[in-house]
Each structure stands twice: as C-alpha cells, then as structure tokens.
Amino acid sequence: MASTNPESPAMDLVDFFSAAEARLDRWRRLFRTARAFAEAPGTDSDRLRREAGRLLAEIGPLEAFWAYPGPRLLGALRDRVAAGDGMGVARLVQRISSALLSGNYRREPDAWELSDESEPTAADRLPPALDQAGSHRPYFEVLFVSPASPAMSNDIGQQLRRLRRAQDQFVYEPVFVGSFEDALLGVIMNSNIQAVVAYDGFPLRSHHELQVFRDMLARYGGIDSVSASEDLGTALARLVKRIRPELDFYLLTDREVERLAASDAAAPIRRVFYEVEEILELHLSLLDGLADRFETPYFDNLKRYAQRPMGTFHALPIARGKSIFKSNWIRDMGEFYGVNLFLAESSATTGGLDSLLEPTGNIKMAQDKAARAFGADRCFFATNGTSTSNKIVVQTLCKPGDIVLVDRNCHKSHHYGFVLAGAQPLYLEAYPMTAYSMYGAVPLRTIKRALLDLKAEGRLDRARLVDLTNCTFDGHIYNVVQVMEECLAIKPDLVFLWDEAWFGFARFSPFMRRRTAMGGAAILRERFADPEYRQRCEAFWKEMGGNLDPKDPTILDRRLLPDPTRARIRVWETNSTHKSMSALRQGSWIMVADQDFHEVEAMFKEAFFTHTSTSPNLQIIASLDVARRQMELEGYELVMRMTELALQIRREVNSHPLIAKYFRMLTPEEMIPSEYRASKLRDYGRPHSTWREALEAMNGDEIALDPTRLTLLCGTAGFDGTQFKSLLASRYDIQLNKTSRNSVLLQTNINNTRSDVAQLVKVLADIARDIDKELREGGPTAKAAFEARVRSLMKDVPDLPNFSRFQDVFRADPESVTSEGDIREAFFAAYDAEACEYVKLASKEIDERLDEGPELVSASFVIPYPPGFPIMVPGQVITRDTIDFMRKLDVKEIHGYNASQGLKLIRQPAASAKSERPRAA
C-alpha cells in the first residue's frame, strides 16, 4: 500500500536492481544538496534546507535495515537540518556518504562518532601493497528479529558490544527489526548481514507502509505462502535460506527446544537456543559460524608453510626463491612477484600441503566447503581449466557406444571428450540468430524429439548423457528444472552435464540461482519429495496410460512429469571459477549432485588421474579455496552490484541520443524468440518491465538472458566485431573476449566499478561523435561508403550452417532418424596421412564434389573465431551451406584450418556418392 506518513515519502527504487546501490545513490544525492545548502544565500537556503529534509526522510526507512550510520548519527543529521545548520549538515553528510562509499566505517571507529574533525580515509580503497597499515578484523552485521521494544533492543545491542574481546577474529554490529517482513527486507537489502537471530513472538507484517517495500517482497517471492498462524521462526529460516543460503540462522525460543531442534523444520537453522540462556553463548556462536565460512583450509596452511624454514631437495628450483633472488639475471622476476609466491611453492605433498590427486586433508576440507557453498554434494578442484574438467566428466560418465545429446555449439573440450571416451554425440541444434552470426540455446522440443526418436528406434537405452552449456557465451540460460524434469520423464536414469563455465557467480543471485545446475537439482529433490507433486505425477501417468508413446504428437507440447519413484537426480556441473570469481587462471570446479555417484566414483578417480597433472599449481588450488570464501561472505553483494552495473550500461547505451544512433545493447526480445519467452519480456527495467515481471520471466520462461552479458551491436556503426574489439583495446584500453560478425560481447563481473561503466559509456560516446564528425565533414561520398559498410555487416550476413550428418561409414545405422555417429573412429582415421586429402576452399573441385560427389568428409574440427562453434567435426559430411559460410567469413583465426593447405578431408572413393557404404581408406 502507498505511504500515508509525510515523514516517510514514497521511495522510487524501481530503476535499481540492487537496493544497496540505490541507497548509496541517494546518499550522494543528499550530499550534493547539502553542499548547495551550505553555500546558498537567503531564500535559496530555505528551499535547499527543505529539500535536504525531504531527501533525508526518504533515506530514513532504508537505514532501518543497516547498522551504519545508525540512529545517533541520523538523529544528529536531522537536528542540523531542522536548525538550518547548512555547513554542519554538509560536513556530516560528507562523512557518512564517504564512509559508506569507501567502507571505512567497517574499520575506523571515528566514522561512528559525531565529531566533524574526523576525515574520511581512502585506505580501504588501496591495494595492500599501497596501504601497509596492518591487519584488520573483518566487519559484519547481524540481523536480530525481535518483538522487543526499541529500548530493550538497544540494551541487547549494548550487551553484545560489551562482549567484544581483543582476540575476537571479527567484529559485528547488530541491526534490529521487529517483523517477519522486515527481516526479509533486511536480508534482501543489507549485504553486510552474515547471520540472522530470531526471537520467537515477532509479528508477520511490517510497520513500514511503503509500496516499494511491498514490491521488493513480491519480487523475491514466497511471502504470500506464509500466514500469521504458522511458526514464523522456522518459516523465516526457510525463506532466508531460499534468498541467501549462505547465511547462518539462529532461533531463540521458550518452547520445547529439544523437540524443535530435531524436527525437519529446523533443518535450515544452525542452532536453536532456549531463550533465557546467557547471551555470551549466542555471541560466541555468531563468531564461530562466521569463522567456519571464513576458514580457507588449504590457503591457511599454505601461508603457514611459507613461514617455515625448509630445505628443498625436490625438483622445483624456484621453491623458496633462492634461484631467483640470488640470480644476477632474473632478480626482476622476484621483485615483480614478491617473495611469498616462491616461499609458497613446493612439489611435495608433505608438510600438510595435501595431494590434489588423493586429498585427505586440507584440500578435502576446502572442497567440502566449496560443495556446501554451491549447494552440491561434492566438489572437486581442477587446475587445468574447465576444458579439462569437461573431459574428466565425459570420460567418467560415458563408455564407448554411449549416446550423448549435446549442443553442437558447445565448447570444443566436450567434443574432444567424446573422442577420448568413445561416446557418440547426437548433435542438437540451437536456434539461430542469423542477423548476429550467433546461435542461442537448444529448444526443449528439440531435446525431447531426439529422446523420443531414440525410443521409437529402440536405442533409448544407449542415451546416457544430456550435455548443455548454461549459460551460453552470449548469455542464454536454460530453464534447467524444466529441461531435467521433462527429459527424466522420457528416460528416468539420464545424467546431466551443465557446462556453467561463465555462470558460477549465479549461485549468489536469488534472481538467477534456480537456473543453475545445483539450484535446479535442489528444486527437483524438494519437488520429488512433495506429496502434492507425487499426486500430480500419478494423475499424469494415469492419463498417459503408464507410458509415453513416441509417436504421440502432443508429447512435444505438454509438460512432462517424471515418476519420482523411478527418476534419478544425477546432475554434474563444471565451473570456470576463474571466469567469474577471484581465482587464478585455469582454476575450475567440478560440482556433483548425483545420487548414484557411488556407481561412477571409481571411474571418476581414473578420469581425474588421467587428466590432472601430478604437479598441480599450488597457487591455483589456494585461489580456489579463497574464491569460495569470498563468495560465501560477500558474493551476494558483489553479484548484485555487477548485475546493477550491467543494467546501468544497458540503459545508458540504449537511451543515449548520440550513442544509440550507432550502437545498441541487444535485449531479451532480440536475443530470444517469443516462442521460448512466454512472459513476452522485452527488456530489463523501465520502461519495458517491472522487476517483478523480470523475475517471473526468469522463473518461467523456457530460455532467459543473463543480464550481465551484454551483446553490443557495432555493425550499425560500421565496425565488424574483430575490428571494434581491436579498436577498444588499442586506443581505449578496454578489453573483451568474444566477437561476432557485427557485435562484441561485454560482460560485467565482480571486479567492475561504476568508474568502469563511466569509461565505457564515454568511449562509446566519443566514438559516436567521431563517426558523426566524419559523416558530416565527408559529405555524400563518406555517407554512401558508411551506409554500404553497415549494409554489408547488418544485411549481407551468411546463413548459419547446421550440423549435417556423420558420413555413413561412421554410423551404426545410416537409415536411423537420429544423427549420432562414431566421432572417435573418424578422429583417428585422420591420423593416416594416406587416408586424407586437402582441398582449397576457393577451388572449383569443392563445388563439383558438392554437386556430383564423392562426399566431402571433414577430417578435423574446424572452429572459426568468431563465432567460436565447430562448423565441422571429424566424420561430418560437409554441405554447401557450410562452405558458403566459410567463404563469407572475414575472420583470421580458424582453428583446424590451414589456408595454405585447404580443408583436410577423409579421402572417399570416387564412386562413394552412389556406392552402398564405402569405408574410409
């Protein structure tokens, strides 16, 4: 409902994804007004005083959910505004807003004082090498949910502060709220919250009568399912864990704590206290709970190891750094990297360093903590990147002859994994976005059709694995719950591999978590145990006569429900930790939620041994440990911020009158066809949608778009993707990865700041001004050349080639409707030089053979960058659309193709076009 309290005006947060960022924005706005108030004369001063009072009243409701600046500083600020003390208002607002922006209130006690003499410090914003002030105690906040009066809450806060000790590893401040709804708002808005303490007896509804808060609660969902008559303590724990699963939850109650603690309802609760017990136990539990997440077993031990005097008689000369620091020629390497890097190097697994290949100590502990953080049953560290992780998983799960349903556009490591394992890929086609020379995601109908075709031909038993990229390079995200659910209805024992190389951060976004592999596995486990869901399944299977007829045309269009008594939840996820978290290059995680892991555990070990170096990089292992710590303790804040920054970039680029003349960020409407976007969501945020509508789209649409992946159309400015990428890097020091024929891909990450956003927007504006100037001064000739260039990039685009088929000799049944083939046999056939030939791409021979035969059969993977997907795989029959596509490509980097030699082909007899099934030479 709308606010009726004049002291609490309606706030407009709808343009912000992150409430924390909205809060900072309002403090900076208040600072600008306060500064003007301090300098303004006469009537202007009175007007600005009223404006400052209005802005402060708007901020007030937000500040109820944060410890800093707290009631004392806010009260002093209100007093100064009321007294017309413009200079005093400006000084205090500057101190508060600077402390919030820098975070120095977490470390500087003076930031909490009323004195205007203390100045904000920039120390928190400096890297460690530039600020040698010493170690600090990490700061956090605890949300207390209590029906107690403000005076009693203040008394509890004072007691908790008196319990602080110099030896405490952390320091925290309490935040008190008085209702269920306020507790959820605090968890959503305050990223400093690391624990929730709930006292029994609090009411359901908030006293804040602000529509923006009601909208925020609706955005995150779940509140409508809670009634005032149920146990609000355990209901709150459940919803808090749904929004931020990393938080510790403590319940204080005067009920039968022993019975409650043993109940299923208490599962999300870290500890249940009898309410009258001493507060010291709660205080120590809060610190202990955070210490559990803060601990990095491997990194902590590696730091200790580096401080020990070691004699190294193993094969790693750089260990301890003596070969470097005593060198006359390479000391600069040591000066650049610093001594700790070398002190923390060893090729030994003694001294507590543990073994990555057989972890039993701190690496095992670190992996277990990562599994907990990401909602997995198990986690395994990999130091050779997700390329290796993918091959490990494929080799674990597949044996020769198994069929894998796989996106043809997946990373090449999957294809090589099939070669190694002898699995036969059944390539699935993603929907094309021809205008941008890229593919989207694989429609669910396509996946179901392939499974039903296998069933119709009696080969469904060979279907072992569904292997999909989530999210794709360009940001397409599957509805993983629906995909797994409907596939399991057709084949209950399917295993799923989700390559989430670029999507690991999404675990800490309530907006996107359900679309992750581990998030989807958790939902399925909860759903399969739900009695109401089981009843729905019984009704569904009764209607279907107990079986799915692959010839029934309605199956493709209806929601299939797996039998929870037969379906197995077997979900694997590979995660390039280094791509979205603070890990060193090649740091990767393999996450497992597989109820039948025991059946493949031995195979996993063998695959892991096959691909993992016996000399893994210790620093990569340590960085994986630290990356988990960071994400558990501040991942929510960082991911919310990076998402907010991406949305700001989208809005600024697409709404700027000059930039939008030449550049555009593609929207969900442009990236996802309407048939896969039931919500009809056009874009994120105003004026196209509310955040509640965006969340509904993320929850329900078959395919969604990761808002942090930004496809910038540059062909409309006359640049191809490669050219524009080079321009940004060489002239403006802006780096990016992926390009297409007429676009570049930008992505925000947890490293980005608003300064980065400003730099990007300014660069685009500068380039747009340069184009404007060139067109204005160049006259009709320049304009015609520009329009021709744009037309060639935006209109004259090559059709995207689909996978054709494997050549008959590499197929068990050439008459089969499905297209799986023996990629391993084809791959190794190319090892015989006599069995291969080369044909130049521009030669007439190719056109003649396309018309008359013999067939052109690829001997290798051919992968143009961009677009980065394999347009040929070993054993594939090459068709005219693939050749036309290659001839139109204007990229320099094509893996698997040597222009001086031509296409490498598996030689075919001249009569192969008409013979029965010739075998490769």
Side-chain angles (χ1 to χ4, degrees):
M1 66 184 71
S3 172
T4 57
N5 182 353
E7 296 301 318
S8 299
M11 282 181 294
D12 184 11
L13 299 183
V14 293
D15 286 334
F16 284 87
F17 181 78
S18 166
E21 293 301 305
R23 174 189 182 226
L24 290 176
D25 179 80
R26 274 145 183 76
W27 274 103
R28 299 310 289 177
R29 188 185 301 176
L30 176 59
F31 171 62
R32 291 191 295 270
T33 301
R35 187 170 55 188
F37 172 32
E39 299 171 354
T43 56
D44 278 352
S45 176
D46 190 55
R47 178 182 60 81
L48 288 166
R49 181 186 66 79
R50 291 195 302 273
E51 176 65 9
R54 186 191 68 79
L55 290 171
L56 184 57
E58 182 179 296
I59 289 172
L62 277 176
E63 293 307 320
F65 303 101
W66 301 77
Y68 184 85
R72 195 160 69 100
L73 287 176
L74 286 173
L77 191 52
R78 292 189 187 97
D79 291 343
R80 293 184 185 188
V81 171
D85 180 5
M87 189 61 67
V89 171
R91 284 198 298 262
L92 188 51
V93 171
Q94 180 181 14
R95 284 185 53 224
I96 293 172
S97 60
S98 295
L100 289 173
L101 190 64
S102 68
N104 80 310
Y105 68 90
R106 297 183 175 107
R107 298 168 174 84
E108 298 294 334
D110 286 350
W112 298 77
E113 299 302 322
L114 289 174
S115 171
D116 290 331
E117 296 179 1
S118 61
E119 292 294 332
T121 175
D124 282 3
R125 287 174 276 182
L126 297 177
L130 304 180
D131 173 28
Q132 302 295 344
S135 61
H136 67 272
R137 291 189 295 174
Y139 166 95
F140 68 102
E141 295 177 7
V142 178
L143 187 69
F144 284 80
V145 193
S146 169
S149 66
M152 186 174 294
S153 295
N154 183 62
D155 182 59
I156 294 173
Q158 292 300 327
Q159 292 182 53
L160 290 167
R161 293 183 186 96
R162 284 197 294 269
L163 290 172
R164 292 175 179 170
R165 299 173 299 171
Q167 62 266 39
D168 287 344
Q169 192 175 5
F170 315 103
V171 61
Y172 68 87
E173 283 289 334
V175 177
F176 290 92
V177 296
S179 71
F180 188 102
E181 291 183 338
D182 286 341
L184 289 183
L185 288 168
V187 166
I188 292 167
M189 290 195 289
N190 187 348
S191 53
N192 284 336
I193 296 294
Q194 293 293 342
V196 178
V197 178
Y199 290 82
D200 252 350
F202 54 84
L204 176 63
R205 299 300 176 193
S206 169
H207 73 277
H208 293 292
E209 298 296 332
L210 291 173
Q211 184 60 43
V212 66
F213 286 165
R214 304 241 68 84
D215 292 343
M216 190 169 290
L217 288 170
R219 182 192 304 181
Y220 285 85
I223 188 68
D224 294 338
S225 65
V226 179
S227 70
S229 61
E230 68 177 292
D231 182 349
L232 294 183
T234 55
L236 178 61
R238 184 179 71 250
L239 284 187
V240 165
K241 286 291 188 177
R242 181 179 299 173
I243 297 170
R244 294 180 62 182
E246 73 277 10
L247 298 187
D248 294 327
F249 194 98
Y250 301 89
L251 181 63
L252 284 79
T253 178
D254 57 4
R255 292 178 290 154
E256 296 176 311
V257 292
E258 300 85 0
R259 182 172 299 176
L260 174 62
S263 68
D264 291 341
I269 301 172
R270 183 177 178 93
R271 186 170 176 185
V272 179
F273 288 95
Y274 189 56
E275 189 171 346
V276 298
E277 289 182 340
E278 59 180 305
I279 200 168
L280 175 60
E281 196 69 22
L282 174 62
H283 170 75
L284 295 175
S285 295
L286 290 168
L287 296 178
D288 182 67
L290 196 71
D292 183 33
R293 282 181 282 150
F294 186 83
E295 181 192 21
T296 42
Y298 188 79
F299 178 57
D300 294 344
N301 189 72
L302 192 61
K303 288 189 293 183
R304 289 191 293 269
Y305 175 85
Q307 300 308 310
R308 296 169 60 186
M310 288 286 177
T312 55
F313 293 91
H314 53 68
L316 194 65
I318 67 166
R320 317 309 290 178
K322 298 173 187 177
S323 68
I324 293 166
F325 291 108
K326 292 188 175 184
S327 170
N328 188 43
W329 298 103
I330 64 171
R331 283 178 60 89
D332 57 332
M333 178 183 176
E335 292 165 358
F336 181 78
Y337 285 109
V339 67
N340 281 342
L341 176 67
F342 306 103
L343 292 176
E345 272 294 359
S346 175
S347 64
T349 57
T350 55
L353 291 180
D354 206 1
S355 165
L356 183 63
L357 293 172
E358 288 282 6
T360 57
N362 46 61
I363 292 180
K364 177 66 167 60
M365 293 170 60
Q367 291 181 158
D368 290 345
K369 285 179 178 289
R372 175 193 66 195
F374 283 78
D377 298 338
R378 295 169 178 82
C379 172
F380 300 95
F381 289 179
T383 58
N384 297 90
T386 299
S387 297
T388 294
S389 295
N390 288 330
K391 287 179 273 192
I392 289 172
V393 177
V394 169
Q395 187 170 323
T396 296
L397 299 173
C398 299
K399 62 181 184 299
D402 283 347
I403 294 174
V404 178
L405 285 74
V406 59
D407 180 359
R408 188 266 308 227
N409 309 303
C410 65
H411 189 267
K412 64 181 183 180
S413 58
H414 296 267
H415 304 273
Y416 285 115
F418 306 144
V419 170
L420 294 171
Q424 298 193 4
L426 195 168
Y427 286 121
L428 307 171
E429 292 294 342
Y431 67 81
M433 295 184 288
T434 306
Y436 313 119
S437 295
M438 65 179 72
Y439 282 92
V442 179
L444 180 55
R445 280 177 59 96
T446 301
I447 305 171
K448 290 164 67 175
R449 178 74 278 165
L451 287 170
L452 292 169
D453 286 344
L454 287 170
K455 182 175 183 179
E457 296 189 353
R459 296 199 312 284
L460 186 60
D461 61 302
R462 288 178 52 204
R464 173 68 169 171
L465 182 67
V466 174
D467 186 347
L468 296 171
T469 305
N470 185 54
C471 67
T472 67
F473 215 148
D474 300 293
H476 297 92
I477 321 171
Y478 288 91
N479 188 328
V480 296
V481 174
Q482 184 178 1
V483 170
M484 293 193 292
E485 202 172 47
E486 298 211 43
C487 288
L488 289 173
I490 300 172
K491 190 171 193 293
D493 62 347
L494 271 175
V495 191
F496 297 88
L497 168 57
W498 297 96
D499 181 345
E500 297 191 351
W502 301 91
F503 204 47
F505 70 89
R507 169 69 182 176
F508 297 91
S509 168
F511 189 59
M512 291 180 273
R513 184 181 303 121
R514 66 176 290 116
R515 286 191 176 254
T516 66
M518 295 300 108
I523 290 172
L524 285 184
R525 284 176 171 174
E526 182 179 344
R527 188 170 292 179
F528 285 4
D530 182 5
E532 188 275 333
Y533 180 79
R534 289 181 170 240
Q535 290 178 359
R536 286 174 50 210
C537 287
E538 289 177 9
F540 169 80
W541 286 102
K542 183 176 181 181
E543 179 186 351
M544 301 305 296
N547 185 42
L548 296 179
D549 182 357
K551 297 181 181 179
D552 181 354
T554 68
I555 292 180
L556 291 177
D557 297 311
R558 69 178 301 170
R559 182 69 176 259
L560 307 181
L561 301 179
D563 181 350
T565 65
R566 298 178 58 229
R568 313 297 293 171
I569 297 177
R570 308 193 63 189
V571 185
W572 294 63
E573 169 200 328
T574 53
N575 183 327
S576 289
T577 319
H578 67 95
K579 284 187 168 71
S580 66
M581 288 165 269
S582 300
L584 295 176
R585 290 285 288 179
Q586 297 192 50
S588 176
W589 284 326
I590 299 172
M591 298 287 176
V592 184
D594 185 344
Q595 68 184 95
D596 294 329
F597 179 77
H598 61 280
E599 296 181 0
V600 297
E601 184 173 9
M603 286 80 87
F604 176 80
K605 286 185 176 181
E606 287 300 325
F608 197 82
F609 293 161
T610 299
H611 294 280
T612 301
S613 170
T614 53
S615 301
N617 187 297
L618 307 191
Q619 315 316 316
I620 295 177
I621 300 172
S623 74
L624 290 170
D625 199 9
V626 173
R628 186 277 312 160
R629 178 214 283 177
Q630 181 180 39
M631 297 309 287
E632 265 203 303
L633 293 172
E634 58 181 342
Y636 176 78
E637 174 185 7
L638 296 173
V639 172
M640 292 293 282
R641 181 187 302 156
M642 68 181 264
T643 307
E644 179 68 64
L645 294 179
L647 296 167
Q648 289 175 359
I649 294 172
R650 287 179 180 275
R651 283 195 296 267
E652 290 300 319
V653 170
N654 288 352
S655 64
H656 193 283
L658 176 61
I659 297 175
K661 284 176 62 176
Y662 302 105
F663 301 99
R664 188 174 79 255
M665 292 295 178
L666 295 183
T667 65
E669 183 179 33
E670 294 168 299
M671 299 282 282
I672 305 170
S674 59
E675 59 263 37
Y676 313 124
R677 191 169 31 86
S679 67
K680 306 306 176 188
L681 182 78
R682 294 179 57 199
D683 200 358
Y684 295 116
R686 282 185 172 183
H688 307 290
S689 66
T690 66
W691 283 116
R692 186 171 186 174
E693 291 168 340
L695 186 63
E696 289 171 353
M698 191 63 69
N699 286 341
D701 284 356
E702 179 181 333
I703 298 169
L705 187 69
D706 173 5
T708 71
R709 301 185 75 76
L710 308 161
T711 298
L712 177 69
L713 206 60
C714 58
T716 46
F719 298 103
D720 64 57
T722 303
Q723 180 186 14
F724 193 62
K725 174 183 176 180
S726 176
L727 173 69
L728 291 178
S730 61
R731 187 179 300 179
Y732 299 103
D733 296 325
I734 292 178
Q735 297 179 333
L736 52 91
N737 284 331
K738 191 252 185 189
T739 67
S740 79
R741 178 177 172 82
N742 51 28
S743 73
V744 297
L745 179 72
L746 305 163
Q747 61 187 103
T748 56
N749 58 53
I750 64 173
N751 184 60
N752 289 128
T753 64
R754 292 184 70 173
S755 297
D756 296 331
V757 173
Q759 180 194 14
L760 175 64
V761 172
K762 184 182 186 306
V763 165
L764 294 178
D766 288 346
I767 295 173
R769 289 189 192 95
D770 290 344
I771 297 173
D772 251 5
K773 180 181 179 182
E774 291 172 6
L775 294 178
R776 186 171 59 251
E777 296 178 354
T781 302
K783 184 177 180 181
F786 176 78
E787 290 175 348
R789 174 65 173 164
V790 171
R791 188 165 50 251
S792 71
L793 291 170
M794 300 304 302
K795 300 296 183 182
D796 185 23
V797 292
D799 289 332
L800 294 173
N802 287 331
F803 177 78
S804 54
R805 60 183 176 86
F806 284 103
Q807 210 272 342
D808 288 352
V809 73
F810 302 116
R811 303 189 66 201
D813 181 5
E815 305 302 322
S816 171
V817 173
T818 59
S819 62
E820 72 275 5
D822 193 339
I823 196 172
R824 178 184 176 89
E825 183 182 350
F827 181 88
F828 286 107
Y831 277 43
D832 181 358
E834 296 298 320
C836 296
E837 60 181 326
Y838 292 88
V839 180
K840 292 292 184 67
L841 186 62
S843 69
K844 291 184 179 179
E845 181 183 351
I846 284 185
D847 297 294
E848 293 172 354
R849 288 180 61 172
L850 287 171
D851 291 335
E852 302 175 9
E855 290 177 328
L856 303 170
V857 180
S858 179
S860 58
F861 292 101
V862 177
I863 307 173
Y865 279 83
F869 56 81
I871 59 174
M872 302 178 199
V873 303
Q876 177 182 340
V877 174
I878 303 172
T879 53
R880 186 170 297 279
D881 60 345
T882 302
I883 295 299
D884 290 344
F885 182 81
M886 278 201 73
R887 286 172 172 172
K888 288 185 178 182
L889 282 175
D890 52 3
V891 300
K892 298 178 180 179
E893 185 178 354
I894 304 179
H895 296 183
Y897 171 70
N898 187 321
S900 63
Q901 291 182 299
L903 289 173
K904 185 178 182 181
L905 306 175
I906 297 176
R907 193 184 302 276
Q908 299 292 299
S912 68
K914 301 176 183 177
S915 63
E916 289 190 351
R917 287 203 308 276
R919 297 200 62 82

